[in-house]
Amino acid sequence: MIAELLNSLNGDIVMGLAQAAGAIALCAAVVLLCGRFAVHVERETAISVARGLVQMVFVGMVLAVLLHGNLLEGALILLAMTFAAAVTASRRARDIKGSLPLSFYAIAAGAGIVIAGMLATRALTSDIAVLVPVGSMIIANAMNACAQSIERFRADIIAYVGQIEAGLTLGADPAVTVAPYVQSAVYASLLPRLDMLKSLGLVWIPGVMAGMMVSGASPVYAGIYQFVIVAMILAASGIAGLIVTLLMRAHAFSAAAQLTLRPGEQHQPPLYRLAQSMPRAS
Amino acid sequence: MPWVRNSWPRLISLQPEGVARGCPLPTKMAQSTKKKNMSAVTITRSTGYIGDAASSEATWDRPAGLAHQAPALETECLSRSIAERILVSDISVQVQLGEVLAVVGPSGAGKSSFLRLLNRLDEPTGGTVRLNGQDYRELAPRELRRRVGMVMQAAYLFPGTVAANVAFGPAQCGERLAPEQIAILLQRVGLPGYQERDVSNLSGGEAQRVSIVRTLANAPEALLLDEPTSALDDISARGIEDLVLSIIHERRMTCVIVTHNTAQAHRIADRTMILEAGKLVTIGLTKEVLRDC
């Protein structure tokens, strides 16, 4: 295991780090430019860049060690990625009770169904070197769809509290009162993926296709396979967006059909409540 | 037909002819309706409602088994607090059938919170509400809300036509309003021929009228009004006021209205309750409670 890790630390690493430094320098220049227009993202960008680099190096090391692992090991890695994705997506709705499990179920369902389907149809092999990168793309897109659905649904509910409660006072089922906002939330999460599919090959040639061609695969097959991947990303995103929205809809109402997701009455996480209850220096 | 819920034939009686059948009207409305060439029954507020009481009771279909004196709406130690903030504290009041109760008080007194509890839009943290003697927690929330209609401060109409808004409530329990029924309802609230109008083209007063008729289309037993005229100019507000008064007396509905306008309470309400910091300060006949206002 250690030998495999050491083997991966060759001269390419130095070149990769130099390239990373160049990319970071360019990002820093953009951040400085944004700062001149009063868009201050310095701290957030620094954290994101540092996290991204460390995480990718770590993943590379894990893959180097587990390159020849079995399907179970690959599944465990994807499960850990799904959990991390759920944590990230749920941050968009940290004031909603149970947002982490909601996000996890949605992303796991979306990515899980699609990856299982691809494995069953042999569109994806159980080789970790293939399974984890492709699986991570699907999980990441499911995460984005999940976060977009959460954000849109939450924003719509809060913006249209009056209409929703007017519907409730007329005896409507809660699901009926929020039906337009469910539709717009799912649609909002799918739109970027639909655009991605539309622009495939015209605007961008994704990395999988480029990698396959570099490694000698037929460009036509590489193109078709890339389409399969993007179509699966759309499917996973749709499932994740739909499930998280439906789960949030259920969480937005009490058993007595009262809208509980209202401005100023959102759930506050335990740590936030603790911080609020602590005495403050005057 | 269950006695507790008005049937569609009663809904149709919203048309002016219903007045001639002996449904009670207050003096002012009787005068205003006379001006509209409608027959009316003159009453005085001090003596309550007069007219053909027997026929009025008969149309209400009250079952023999139920106590005649049961308040139409009753709160029992009703309370609600969020975190450590008390919104409504231990309020017990009774509203009789056909009575209009005004809820007044300063901003933040808990008036709207109290009204929301009556419709169970919020859950009480203490006490309960009884509808014709029955604990409202025993009723399905959707049924309760059809029986206790609520009109909010803003109209909150759904995008689309006026007719679609009016038909929304009945559609939720599988009933379809015929175009003629919608036309009659709209005529009753002074919006004849508005069926196909888009709600985005309505004035504030028109929108509030649609909001009222949308609630009435469910044929509720009780009507809750949360400052329905506060966003309107004086003329529109008085128009809505007259409309509401005529309808609730015509149909002998129980009504609870939240208002910050004591003059409005004088004009509308039989009794008035004053809230302060979520607590009931006083309740009684409007002319006595608001004597100095």
Side-chain angles (χ1 to χ4, degrees):
Chain A
M1 192 177 283
I2 300 294
E4 284 168 332
L5 182 59
L6 291 174
N7 282 342
S8 69
L9 300 176
N10 52 31
D12 290 346
I13 302 291
V14 178
M15 187 179 71
L17 288 174
Q19 289 167 337
I24 291 169
L26 189 59
C27 288
V30 171
V31 168
L32 287 175
L33 186 65
C34 289
R36 289 197 60 169
F37 292 95
V39 180
H40 295 289
V41 287
E42 294 86 352
R43 186 171 173 273
E44 202 173 340
T45 308
I47 292 171
S48 302
V49 165
R51 273 187 57 171
L53 182 60
V54 170
Q55 285 163 194
M56 287 310 292
V57 169
F58 178 74
V59 168
M61 289 166 72
V62 169
L63 286 178
V65 172
L66 299 175
L67 202 56
H68 304 295
N70 57 27
L71 181 60
L72 179 65
E73 287 166 338
L76 287 173
I77 292 170
L78 292 180
L79 191 64
M81 285 178 164
T82 303
F83 182 75
V87 170
T88 305
S90 65
R91 283 196 188 128
R92 305 278 180 145
R94 64 180 69 187
D95 50 359
I96 295 170
K97 196 175 179 181
S99 58
L100 177 59
L102 296 190
S103 305
F104 181 77
Y105 298 147
I107 297 169
I113 289 170
V114 166
I115 292 171
M118 290 178 78
L119 283 170
T121 57
R122 301 199 177 181
L124 193 61
T125 65
S126 59
D127 182 1
I128 283 186
V130 178
L131 178 65
V132 172
V134 174
S136 72
M137 270 196 297
I138 291 167
I139 291 170
N141 277 276
M143 175 189 77
N144 286 338
C146 183
Q148 283 160 343
S149 292
I150 288 174
E151 200 159 80
R152 181 62 175 265
F153 187 68
R154 181 167 157 273
D156 276 355
I157 292 276
I158 289 171
Y160 295 101
V161 164
Q163 271 83 359
I164 294 166
E165 290 198 329
L168 291 176
T169 64
L170 292 166
D173 187 271
V176 172
T177 64
V178 295
Y181 317 120
V182 169
Q183 289 163 10
S184 66
V186 177
Y187 184 69
S189 73
L190 280 178
L191 203 55
R193 259 57 66 177
L194 287 168
D195 285 344
M196 195 163 84
L197 202 53
K198 274 184 213 160
S199 62
L200 196 61
L202 292 176
V203 181
W204 67 299
I205 296 175
V208 171
M209 183 178 175
M212 286 174 72
M213 286 193 299
V214 168
S215 61
S218 149
V220 175
Y221 174 70
I224 293 170
Y225 189 73
Q226 183 62 65
F227 164 79
V228 171
I229 300 284
V230 176
M232 291 297 104
I233 283 172
L234 176 70
S237 302
I239 295 169
L242 187 62
I243 288 179
V244 81
T245 308
L246 293 179
L247 289 174
M248 272 191 70
R249 183 183 73 182
H251 269 61
F253 293 93
S254 69
Q258 295 145 336
L259 182 65
T260 52
L261 181 58
R262 298 175 61 220
E265 287 189 25
Q266 291 99 327
H267 166 75
Q268 279 151 356
L271 281 177
Y272 177 84
R273 288 203 305 269
L274 181 67
Q276 291 293 307
S277 65
M278 288 173 76
R280 294 177 188 181
S282 57
Chain B
M1 175 59 64
W3 74 277
V4 291
R5 183 135 191 271
N6 300 335
S7 59
W8 283 116
R10 271 194 64 79
L11 181 95
I12 300 305
S13 77
L14 277 171
Q15 60 191 297
E17 294 80 54
V19 178
R21 290 201 292 268
C23 300
L25 281 172
T27 310
K28 284 179 181 171
M29 273 317 299
Q31 288 165 352
S32 69
T33 48
K34 270 179 182 175
K35 284 176 192 168
K36 292 173 189 167
N37 210 16
M38 293 158 59
S39 56
V41 180
T42 304
I43 65 161
T44 60
R45 192 169 286 284
S46 60
T47 55
Y49 309 114
I50 61 169
D52 187 356
S55 66
S56 180
E57 284 300 304
T59 55
W60 202 247
D61 293 338
R62 183 185 293 279
L66 199 99
H68 191 82
Q69 292 81 9
L73 209 54
E74 178 183 11
T75 69
E76 194 177 285
C77 304
L78 194 64
S79 304
R80 176 166 169 80
S81 51
I82 298 175
E84 286 163 20
R85 195 159 61 96
I86 295 169
L87 302 176
V88 174
S89 175
D90 203 24
I91 294 179
S92 298
V93 294
Q94 295 184 343
V95 193
Q96 301 299 330
L97 179 65
E99 185 184 18
V100 180
L101 174 71
V103 184
V104 301
S107 295
K111 305 185 295 289
S112 293
S113 299
F114 174 71
L115 208 67
R116 290 173 61 85
L117 288 175
L118 296 183
N119 196 254
R120 214 178 169 195
L121 273 182
D122 292 326
E123 193 67 7
T125 49
T128 191
V129 177
R130 295 186 187 283
L131 184 63
N132 297 308
Q134 186 181 14
D135 191 324
Y136 79 167
R137 290 172 299 190
E138 293 168 6
L139 298 167
R142 292 178 59 194
E143 186 200 340
L144 169 78
R145 290 173 189 148
R146 281 196 290 269
R147 290 174 56 182
V148 182
M150 184 166 173
V151 176
M152 296 175 166
Q153 196 168 349
Y156 294 124
L157 300 180
F158 308 128
T161 63
V162 169
N165 271 268
V166 175
F168 180 86
Q172 302 312 306
C173 55
E175 292 174 8
R176 188 180 164 276
L177 271 188
E180 303 78 44
Q181 290 174 307
I182 294 172
I184 289 168
L185 282 166
L186 288 172
Q187 190 168 13
R188 180 65 188 87
V189 296
L191 300 174
Y194 272 56
Q195 291 91 315
E196 296 311 315
R197 289 263 188 111
D198 193 286
V199 295
S200 60
N201 297 326
L202 300 178
S203 69
E206 289 171 339
Q208 196 58 291
R209 282 169 190 263
V210 174
S211 167
I212 290 168
V213 79
R214 182 176 67 175
T215 302
L216 292 172
N218 266 345
E221 297 161 45
L223 192 59
L224 309 175
L225 304 166
D226 188 2
E227 303 200 41
T229 61
S230 64
L232 304 178
D233 60 71
D234 283 348
I235 295 171
S236 301
R238 288 300 285 266
I240 295 286
E241 212 174 90
D242 288 346
L243 172 69
V244 165
L245 259 181
S246 69
I247 289 171
I248 58 181
H249 288 311
E250 185 179 293
R251 304 185 63 203
R252 207 170 178 202
M253 294 171 76
T254 304
C255 177
V256 181
I257 178 168
V258 165
T259 179
H260 62 273
N261 183 344
T262 51
Q264 187 174 58
H266 270 295
R267 289 192 296 269
I268 289 183
D270 301 299
R271 286 194 303 152
T272 293
M273 61 186 271
I274 297 178
L275 290 185
E276 265 182 35
K279 291 180 180 155
L280 176 61
V281 176
T282 184
I283 182 168
L285 291 174
T286 301
K287 61 184 176 186
E288 291 172 4
V289 171
L290 300 178
R291 191 166 30 217
D292 302 326
C293 298

